[in-house]
């Protein structure tokens, strides 16, 4: 009997995720190679834990999140991402403000 036709898309996704996790655990018991370790880790999904910071230092430059930066005499919460050429063969950059720093 094919129960796939009786499930909604959301229910199908939930059931598949459960099945996939259980299947990988079974396979891992028989084969604990590095590849299976990686697959087991992926089957668990993304981590629910992260580290939050008020700023960071990269290549000797210090950046702060906007809220933290407001109380400082000198401010450095602006960021820029240099881009490549767009469809018109022109270079442009993205500018923004650092609102949060999250380490995953």
């Amino acid at each position: 009997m094919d129960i796939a036709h009786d499930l909604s898309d959301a229910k199908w996704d939930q059931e598949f995720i459960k099945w996939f996790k259980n299947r990988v655990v079974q396979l891992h018991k028989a084969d604990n190679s590095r590849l299976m370790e990686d697959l087991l880790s992926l089957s668990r999904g993304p981590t629910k834990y992260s580290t939050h910071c008020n700023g960071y230092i990269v290549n000797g430059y210090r950046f702060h999140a906007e809220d933290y930066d407001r109380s400082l005499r000198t401010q450095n919460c602006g960021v820029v991402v240099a881009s490549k050429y767009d469809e018109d063969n022109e270079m442009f950059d993205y500018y923004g403000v650092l609102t949060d720093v999250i380490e995953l």
Side-chain angles (χ1 to χ4, degrees), residues 8-26:
S8 68
D9 287 343
K11 187 69 173 169
W12 174 259
D13 290 345
Q14 290 174 346
E15 293 299 320
F16 177 78
I17 291 169
K18 289 178 193 174
W19 172 84
F20 184 71
K21 284 181 183 180
N22 291 333
R23 182 67 179 139
V24 171
V25 167
Q26 292 171 357

Side-chain angles (χ1 to χ4, degrees), residues 20-89:
F20 184 71
K21 284 181 183 180
N22 291 333
R23 182 67 179 139
V24 171
V25 167
Q26 292 171 357
L27 292 171
H28 182 258
K29 288 178 183 176
D31 176 12
N32 62 353
S33 67
R34 177 68 183 156
L35 181 63
M36 284 306 297
E37 287 288 328
D38 291 342
L39 189 57
L40 182 64
S41 178
L42 289 172
S43 73
R44 293 179 178 148
T47 181
K48 295 176 176 76
Y49 305 102
S50 63
T51 302
H52 165 79
C53 305
N54 289 325
Y56 70 100
I57 299 172
V58 62
N59 296 331
Y61 295 99
R62 182 184 310 257
F63 297 91
H64 293 113
E66 184 179 26
D67 288 341
Y68 180 80
D69 216 18
R70 285 190 182 127
S71 63
L72 301 177
R73 288 177 51 199
T74 59
Q75 298 182 350
N76 195 14
C77 62
V79 293
V80 62
V81 177
S83 71
K84 298 200 178 216
Y85 294 99
D86 65 3
E87 61 274 355
D88 296 326
N89 211 18

